[in-house]
Amino acid sequence: MAALARLPVRPGVLAAIVVALVLPFGADSAQLSTCVFIVIAAIGAVGLNVLTGYTGQISLGHAFFLAIGAYTAAVLGGDHGISALIWIPASGLTAAACGLLVGPTALRLRGLYLAIVTLGLLFIGQHLFFNLDGITGGPQGRAFPAVQLGSFDFSPGQQLTIGGAVIDHDGLYYYLALIILLASLLFVRNLVASRPGRAMQAVRERELAGAVLGVDVARTKLMAFGVSSFFAGVSGALFVSYLSFAQPSQWDLLLSIQYLAAITVGGIGTLYGPVLGSIVVFAIPDLAKSLPFISDDGTGLSPGNFSSILYGVLIIIFFVVEPRGVAGLGPRLSAWLRRPGAATTPMGRVAVQSIDQEEAGSR
Amino acid sequence: MTEFFQLLFSGVALGAVYSLIALGFTVIYRASRVINFSQGAFILVSAYVISWLATDKGVPFFLAVALSIVFAVAVGVAFQLLVLRHLVGRSAFVAVMVTIGASIAMTAAVSAIFGPDQKLLGDPWGSSAVHAAGITFTWVKLWSIIVVAAVLYALYLFDRHSRYGLAMRATASDHIAALAAGVPVGRVHAIAWGMAATLGTIAGMFLAGFPNSPNLGLGDASFRAFPAIILGGLESPKGAVVGGVSIGVVEILTSGYSPGWAGTNFSAVAPYIVMIAVLLAKPYGLFGSVPAERI
Amino acid sequence: MARPRPTGPILEARDLTLRFGEVTAFQDVAFAVMPGELFAVIGPNGAGKTSLFNVLSRVYTPTSGQIALDGRDLTALRPRDLAGAGVARTFQNLGLFGPLSVLDNVLVGRHHLMRAGALRAGFGLRSARAEEREHTAAAMAALERTGMADVAGVAVENLAYGDRKRVEIARALAMHPRLLLLDEPVAGMSADERVEITELVRALHADGDLTILLVEHDMGMVMRVAQRILVLDFGRPIAVGSPAEIQADEAVIRAYLGAAPEAATA
């Protein structure tokens, strides 16, 4: 309840929430399905943004934590038939626990070394997932439980009627994920505007200066790892629950990179950047299918190849041209519109640039 | 015992290829403090270009390799000039993301152009080999070892005797000061990228040789070269080779003697386990030094 | 604000030596700073001032010798324990966090006095919000003292250099230190800014029972504010005394004033 006191009030945000709420009634089934994936992915991206965007730690291991959440859901919800009210948070907590477990290794390392170690974590994790047949189903994969709340479940074919409005399987997942996403945003919004969040940003900007001011750098990084992994776990659990089936090969480097792409394209170290970036990155493969020069039969450019090329190029373009990402396009646009008045004001210069300064300073 | 030595030889040969990849990381890191996550994509592109020229276009193999080097260098230098040049002074994170972006785009482009099937490399060695003491020495592996030794020596000479060798070291330690001292920093970075692309092409050639072939997974080898540079430290060519050979040997020996409980394909992750173990003991690698932080 | 004041020195260094391999940053440095004193360390470039400062703020560990804070071994503390021990510092090239607002920068200085963890903060619990309000008020008070309260919401990187230094000093004050370490507070400033910061330091010292140790290259500033001065030259202490004594000291004139006459008249 206390959290309500800090509801976002910016009109743009409010409008976006309203659009998001009515969206299932204007979208066809395929479009809605894309939206479900976007919203679920955005939860994970919001988490990665805490670690990479606000705390400045590069992780290539996000897919590993998504997987931990997914398999926690499988074991609890699938194998033991425990309620979704338990396995959704439990997925996050298990992933967070893993994050805290690998933390001590990661804490000793900075920048590039951390990126490489998290890459190692990803590969070691994938090896485990391929071989722990009892949990993961081995290379063939396994089924995952649909969300079940009491006697009501979210499986395909199910629907909920509220005052004449029919919400089907996709819609149910959509609203559930949307509620969790909004709660995540609220949490992160509170976090970054308070003691632990300031400590994270201090670590990102100048680790040593933060330490001299009394910030416990190791603890702060560990906390960021934990929070980031928690959201990854929840996102992973919802993802496989909606998919209903997944193979270990899905938790690969490309998945981690998609999340990094989402937060960088959206605007790293900004509150809503990960959501905007998820919309761009995770909609591309589905949108690509409808483009005329794309074909799925192996004769032309496949949707997968096309989207990989596209977001590879997008990452490069955003870093070179607009490091603030999509979130930075707004200020840039309004500055451009107000151009006759004054020079562009560098309002809210972001993480990317400030990580730069830290680098330059420590060189 | 024969089996052990056979595996050891294969391990050293694989390690030689890892060393070439690791040296590619090292030259760029030393000049610009960037870890090039697109090195794997360069390996992949090069192997396919060699294959396309040598088998589809009938170009003599070594000419195909030379042309592929020219192409890779052109792509590498262009990437440096068009993209990375604008990012000098930005953080390690930016370079990681941008080179990852280049990597996934290039890999997908290769897949789109050449399709998902394996290709033939068109190399003169094939599976030919010499046999001695019960061990099979394939020519492609022998050559990879010889070439790594030659490359290491050439880099040593470059370091010592070329003015760009010194310029590179100066640029690495402080690019602003180097710029002020009249070092052509842009050209130094471009040369580093050219060298890395060359190393990547040679690595791609050996990697795609017997018993392998050009396939879309070829670039993944670069990820296994990461443990090599971590072990060897990012800045030392000698360390890159020591790390590369160690990782190659660890990988092949684990594939030969892997216990059942470790699961299938355990050898592919063994290098990472070694890497993490080493980092726990020495956070900056066996030969790396703790970076000083200025305030 | 009255705290029981110990009678001994608040900070005492004995036989302090720092070496980096073959290079000696400074050696055999000894001094004692009394509670409430404004003590300055000066010396020409390369005299070892900044290295000494970094030893005092626990960034470097001395090769040999002792430093005592209130009679206890300072080297036993980790850098992040300093804040809790009542020591605050500023940085020569500004230890500020550029994209964060002025207020947030100062609030980082209150970190060690606050308690909220990720969960309490993230869920916006009442205790966390109350704590936030209380410390925001304290941070604003510190900003008032340095005249920066008006720009509390502005990102630090958008401020002029002199103003950033004021923010940094405000942050150090917000830490409620007994000992304030200032690392070249007027380095790189214009003449006007130097005067303003000099006045600010003097006012802060006059305000209460704050002990200040400052390391500075600018003779003019030091002579104006310091009560006692330690002069370093090539890593060795060559004189300690009041500004008047230092100005008359032969060795100092040879080493410092002679080498940089413009600094003496600044």
Side-chain angles (χ1 to χ4, degrees):
Chain A
M1 270 304 106
L4 287 177
R6 289 200 161 202
L7 268 180
V9 286
R10 288 228 310 267
V13 176
L14 215 56
I17 292 174
V18 170
V19 169
L21 283 174
V22 300
L23 193 134
F25 300 100
D28 66 31
S29 172
Q31 288 164 339
L32 184 55
S33 172
T34 303
C35 293
V36 177
F37 283 122
I38 290 172
V39 176
I40 291 174
I43 298 167
V46 166
L48 184 61
N49 192 39
V50 170
L51 181 64
T52 302
Y54 285 109
T55 320
Q57 310 297 308
I58 315 171
S59 168
L60 292 170
H62 211 55
F64 171 78
F65 297 108
L66 290 160
I68 296 292
Y71 292 122
T72 307
V75 170
L76 293 182
D79 300 345
H80 292 95
I82 292 167
S83 159
L85 285 177
I86 304 288
W87 66 248
I88 292 176
S91 303
L93 291 175
T94 314
C98 287
L100 298 179
L101 217 62
V102 299
T105 319
L107 291 183
R108 309 185 55 173
L109 306 162
R110 307 240 308 256
L112 297 166
Y113 282 88
L114 180 64
I116 291 171
V117 166
T118 51
L119 182 72
L121 176 71
L122 181 90
F123 288 129
I124 293 169
Q126 222 178 2
H127 174 74
L128 290 175
F129 303 141
F130 269 109
N131 287 287
L132 296 173
D133 297 34
I135 297 171
T136 66
Q140 285 75 42
R142 66 166 289 160
F144 288 86
V147 168
Q148 194 144 22
L149 297 172
S151 59
F152 187 76
D153 82 82
F154 284 30
S155 327
Q158 296 288 328
Q159 58 181 40
L160 186 68
T161 312
I162 302 173
V166 179
I167 301 171
D168 63 3
H169 159 70
D170 299 311
L172 288 167
Y173 270 97
Y174 177 81
Y175 283 114
L176 176 67
L178 189 64
I179 290 166
I180 295 176
L181 173 62
L182 291 176
S184 312
L185 285 170
L186 205 56
F187 184 90
V188 173
R189 184 187 133 103
N190 286 341
L191 183 70
V192 299
S194 57
R195 177 179 181 263
R198 280 190 300 266
M200 288 171 182
Q201 293 168 81
V203 166
R204 177 191 73 198
E205 296 298 321
R206 291 175 155 218
E207 205 172 298
L208 194 55
V212 172
L213 293 167
V215 171
D216 185 337
V217 173
R219 192 192 165 93
T220 302
K221 286 185 189 173
L222 208 55
M223 189 161 60
F225 249 102
V227 171
S228 165
S229 309
F230 177 88
F231 289 123
V234 171
S235 173
L238 289 173
F239 176 63
V240 290
S241 171
Y242 181 60
L243 267 181
S244 80
F245 186 83
Q247 294 171 330
S249 57
Q250 284 177 272
W251 316 112
D252 62 357
L253 180 61
L254 190 62
L255 188 63
S256 286
I257 292 173
Q258 284 177 323
Y259 277 90
L260 280 170
I263 63 169
T264 51
V265 167
I268 189 158
T270 62
L271 183 60
Y272 301 107
V275 181
L276 298 173
S278 297
I279 294 172
V280 175
V281 168
F282 294 97
I284 287 174
D286 283 335
L287 289 180
K289 284 182 193 143
S290 57
L291 290 172
F293 52 91
I294 302 295
S295 69
D296 224 345
D297 55 12
T299 52
L301 197 52
S302 72
N305 284 335
F306 172 76
S307 22
S308 288
I309 293 174
L310 191 61
Y311 56 65
V313 171
L314 275 180
I315 292 173
I316 297 173
I317 289 176
F318 269 103
F319 270 117
V320 175
V321 180
E322 178 51 83
R324 284 175 294 179
V326 177
L329 292 179
R332 171 172 284 221
L333 190 68
S334 61
W336 184 78
L337 290 173
R338 283 186 276 107
R339 206 168 29 162
T344 316
T345 50
M347 60 167 288
R349 281 257 306 272
V350 282
V352 198
Q353 284 155 324
S354 42
I355 299 174
D356 296 347
Q357 289 163 356
E358 191 258 339
E359 281 291 318
S362 66
R363 209 164 271 161
Chain B
M1 222 37 198
T2 312
E3 191 201 354
F4 174 79
F5 283 112
Q6 179 71 64
L7 289 172
L8 193 63
F9 170 68
S10 299
V12 171
L14 181 65
V17 177
Y18 287 161
S19 303
L20 284 170
I21 304 172
L23 285 170
F25 289 126
T26 305
V27 291
I28 290 181
Y29 184 80
R30 288 212 303 168
S32 58
R33 287 289 180 271
V34 164
I35 288 194
N36 172 23
F37 275 75
S38 63
Q39 188 70 356
F42 276 93
I43 290 166
L44 179 69
V45 168
S46 300
Y48 272 83
V49 170
I50 294 173
S51 152
W52 175 67
L53 288 171
T55 60
D56 286 14
K57 295 291 153 195
V59 176
F61 182 72
F62 288 105
L63 181 60
V65 172
L67 290 174
S68 177
I69 289 177
V70 171
F71 178 72
V73 168
V75 172
V77 172
F79 183 61
Q80 204 283 320
L81 291 178
L82 293 176
V83 178
L84 290 169
R85 193 163 55 101
H86 301 287
L87 304 173
V88 167
R90 301 272 295 276
S91 76
F93 175 72
V94 172
V96 167
M97 284 308 296
V98 165
T99 55
I100 283 179
S103 175
I104 49 182
M106 281 163 75
T107 306
V110 168
S111 161
I113 295 168
F114 294 102
D117 302 328
Q118 296 201 357
K119 302 283 176 202
L120 294 172
L121 182 62
D123 62 306
W125 303 298
S127 60
S128 65
V130 284
H131 303 271
I135 299 171
T136 306
F137 298 95
T138 50
W139 277 111
V140 64
K141 286 179 180 159
L142 284 173
W143 276 112
S144 67
I145 296 170
I146 295 165
V147 167
V148 166
V151 163
L152 192 63
Y153 187 62
L155 280 175
Y156 169 77
L157 291 180
F158 176 83
D159 241 27
R160 277 297 145 97
H161 300 295
S162 157
R163 65 200 174 95
Y164 284 108
L166 178 65
M168 234 169 231
R169 279 177 286 162
T171 311
S173 68
D174 187 337
H175 79 265
I176 293 168
L179 206 57
V183 173
V185 169
R187 202 181 305 162
V188 165
H189 287 175
I191 290 173
W193 274 84
M195 286 167 68
T198 307
L199 290 166
T201 308
I202 300 172
M205 172 181 78
F206 286 122
L207 208 55
F210 181 82
N212 246 322
S213 59
N215 66 77
L216 291 175
L218 222 49
D220 294 351
S222 71
F223 297 129
R224 287 201 290 283
F226 277 130
I229 54 170
I230 292 294
L231 289 182
L234 285 163
E235 292 184 58
S236 148
K238 221 181 296 169
V241 174
V242 172
V245 172
S246 318
I247 290 301
V249 170
V250 165
E251 184 175 332
I252 297 289
L253 287 184
T254 3
S255 77
Y257 299 110
S258 177
W261 54 261
T264 46
N265 267 330
F266 179 65
S267 62
V269 294
Y272 292 103
I273 293 171
V274 173
M275 170 181 86
I276 289 176
V278 167
L279 284 178
L280 280 175
K282 298 204 68 175
Y284 293 93
L286 294 176
F287 306 111
S289 53
V290 181
E293 186 175 11
R294 256 178 250 160
I295 51 163
Chain C
M1 294 288 282
R3 283 183 234 227
R5 188 177 279 187
T7 46
I10 185 166
L11 186 70
E12 186 172 17
R14 255 176 290 161
D15 309 328
L16 214 52
T17 299
L18 178 69
R19 290 196 184 87
F20 298 103
E22 298 292 294
V23 185
T24 302
F26 56 80
Q27 62 184 55
D28 303 329
V29 172
F31 61 87
V33 181
M34 300 308 287
E37 193 172 25
L38 204 166
F39 187 89
V41 179
I42 61 169
N45 279 329
K49 297 187 302 284
T50 298
S51 299
L52 176 63
F53 191 89
N54 282 331
V55 166
L56 296 179
S57 55
R58 290 295 297 115
V59 176
Y60 300 148
T61 297
T63 315
S64 63
Q66 295 92 42
I67 329 168
L69 179 70
D70 294 329
R72 283 170 316 183
D73 183 14
L74 182 79
T75 55
L77 300 178
R78 290 166 296 183
R80 66 177 155 90
D81 299 327
L82 276 184
V87 181
R89 68 166 285 181
T90 65
F91 295 76
Q92 189 179 140
N93 56 354
L94 297 166
L96 294 171
F97 311 112
L100 273 66
S101 72
V102 166
L103 178 60
D104 279 343
N105 268 278
V106 177
L107 278 168
V108 175
R110 304 285 296 181
H111 183 88
H112 69 288
L113 301 169
M114 298 173 76
R115 287 293 153 261
L119 293 181
R120 273 205 282 162
F123 288 118
L125 296 191
R126 186 167 299 157
S127 63
R129 282 182 291 135
E131 181 184 78
E132 193 72 19
R133 271 196 302 277
E134 177 197 332
H135 289 273
T136 300
M140 288 305 295
L143 284 169
E144 295 281 359
R145 279 178 83 187
T146 63
M148 294 302 291
D150 296 346
V151 289
V154 176
V156 157
E157 64 199 358
N158 295 337
L159 296 179
Y161 187 82
D163 288 345
R164 294 189 197 187
K165 187 53 92 178
R166 284 174 180 273
V167 174
E168 216 196 354
I169 293 174
R171 182 174 67 188
L173 290 176
M175 294 166 78
H176 275 321
R178 288 176 304 132
L179 175 62
L180 177 61
L181 305 174
L182 301 174
D183 190 4
E184 304 214 8
V186 300
M189 286 188 176
S190 68
D192 287 351
E193 287 173 330
R194 279 169 190 242
V195 172
E196 287 178 20
I197 297 295
T198 303
E199 282 316 305
L200 177 63
V201 171
R202 216 208 316 238
L204 291 176
H205 183 241
D207 259 7
D209 52 358
L210 190 60
T211 310
I212 299 178
L213 182 145
L214 95 104
V215 164
E216 186 49 72
H217 181 72
D218 181 323
M219 244 342 198
M221 183 212 183
V222 171
M223 291 303 163
R224 220 163 292 150
V225 300
Q227 294 171 316
R228 277 196 313 137
I229 299 171
L230 166 72
V231 187
L232 289 182
D233 189 33
F234 292 107
R236 290 171 186 278
I238 57 173
V240 187
S242 69
E245 288 164 357
I246 293 300
Q247 268 168 326
D249 191 292
E250 288 287 320
V252 176
I253 292 168
R254 258 199 317 279
Y256 195 112
L257 307 182
E262 80 281 8
T265 55

